[in-house]
Amino acid sequence: MRKGIAISAAAAATVAMTSMAVAPASAAPLRGRGPHGVTIEIATVNGSGCPKDTAAVAVSDDKEAFTVTYSAYTAQAGGNVASTDWRKNCQINMKVHVPQGFTYAIASTDYRGFASLEPGASAVEKASYYFQGMQDTRSISHNLKGTYADNWQFSDVNDVAQLVYKPCGEERNFNINTELRVTKGTDATKTSFISMDSTDGSYKTTYHFAWKRCP
C-alpha cells in the first residue's frame, strides 16, 4: 500500500454546465441522505485506464453519494515504460435506479489518487460526466508538477443554479469520462506516474448526489 497520509494537493473548481432543457423538478435540492431503493449497475466500461474487472461502483448506505474505485488506473512516462502509457482514460456508462418520484444531479465530486513526479515532470487529472442523450459537461482539469510524491485530492463543486438533473420520468444512463496524463521529467531515464487507483480501496472518486422530488 502506498504511504503518505497528508493530502497535500487540494483544489476546488466550479463546474459550469451547458444549458439544457430538462423536465422540471419541484422544491429545493435535497442534500445529504437520499431516498431508499437507490441502486447502480455498470452497463459498459471502456478505456485504457480501466481494463475488464478493474473498476467498481458502490452506493453509500445513506444514499448521499456513490464511489467509483479503480485498481489499474495509472499513467506513466519516462524510464522503460511503453510510449503509449503517458495517457490513460476511462469511460463508464451506468444505470442509476432511483425510486419513483425522485430525480438527481451531481452536487460535487472528489477525486483521489497518488502521484510520483520527477523534477520537470507534470501530470493532469481531467473529468466530465453527463446523462445519456444530453450534452456533456465542461471538462475540468487539475494539474500537478514535480518534484512531487504524495497522495492528491481534487474537488469540483457545482452551484445550486448550475445543477443538471436527470429528466423526471425518463430512463437515462449516467456517463463518466476521466483521463490521466503525465509528462517526462528533465531526466528521461526516470519514471513519473499519476494513479487513480489503490490496493486498499482508499483512492477513489466520490460523486455526491443532489436529490429533488418530481412533480
Side-chain angles (χ1 to χ4, degrees):
M1 181 178 70
R2 302 188 185 99
K3 297 182 179 179
I5 298 175
I7 298 175
S8 58
T14 301
V15 179
M17 299 289 189
T18 303
S19 177
M20 306 175 190
V22 299
S26 62
L30 305 175
R31 302 294 180 96
R33 182 178 294 275
H36 293 292
V38 178
T39 62
I40 296 181
E41 173 189 352
I42 292 181
T44 60
V45 178
N46 295 289
S48 56
C50 48
K52 184 179 179 181
D53 299 327
T54 64
V57 177
V59 183
S60 63
D61 291 339
D62 61 5
K63 308 302 186 286
E64 185 272 337
F66 69 90
T67 59
V68 181
T69 305
Y70 305 93
S71 60
Y73 202 168
T74 300
Q76 52 188 345
N80 296 320
V81 303
S83 59
T84 56
D85 283 352
W86 69 276
R87 177 186 179 273
K88 298 289 183 177
N89 75 300
C90 184
Q91 299 176 326
I92 300 179
N93 177 283
M94 61 185 67
K95 298 178 181 179
V96 181
H97 302 283
V98 301
Q100 186 174 2
F102 286 90
T103 185
Y104 71 94
I106 300 301
S108 62
T109 311
D110 301 319
Y111 304 94
R112 297 182 179 89
F114 185 88
S116 177
L117 304 176
E118 294 293 326
S122 62
V124 176
E125 177 271 327
K126 181 179 179 181
S128 65
Y129 48 82
Y130 62 98
F131 292 107
Q132 186 174 3
M134 300 171 70
Q135 291 177 296
D136 199 347
T137 63
R138 181 171 64 89
S139 296
I140 296 295
S141 297
H142 300 284
N143 303 282
L144 293 171
K145 294 185 179 298
T147 304
Y148 187 94
D150 205 345
N151 298 327
W152 55 263
Q153 175 176 334
F154 299 118
S155 296
D156 298 334
V157 181
N158 299 326
D159 288 339
V160 172
Q162 296 173 325
L163 295 178
V164 177
Y165 287 86
K166 182 181 75 69
C168 288
E170 296 185 15
E171 291 296 328
R172 292 179 184 249
N173 286 8
F174 186 66
N175 294 276
I176 295 172
N177 296 323
T178 56
E179 179 182 334
L180 297 177
R181 300 196 306 267
V182 66
T183 62
K184 300 176 184 177
T186 51
D187 185 349
T189 65
K190 295 183 178 180
T191 301
S192 295
F193 70 86
I194 179 172
S195 295
M196 202 177 338
D197 64 22
S198 171
T199 55
D200 63 2
S202 61
Y203 302 147
K204 61 186 71 174
T205 303
T206 304
Y207 297 83
H208 299 273
F209 288 117
W211 294 99
K212 270 191 176 183
R213 292 185 180 275
C214 293

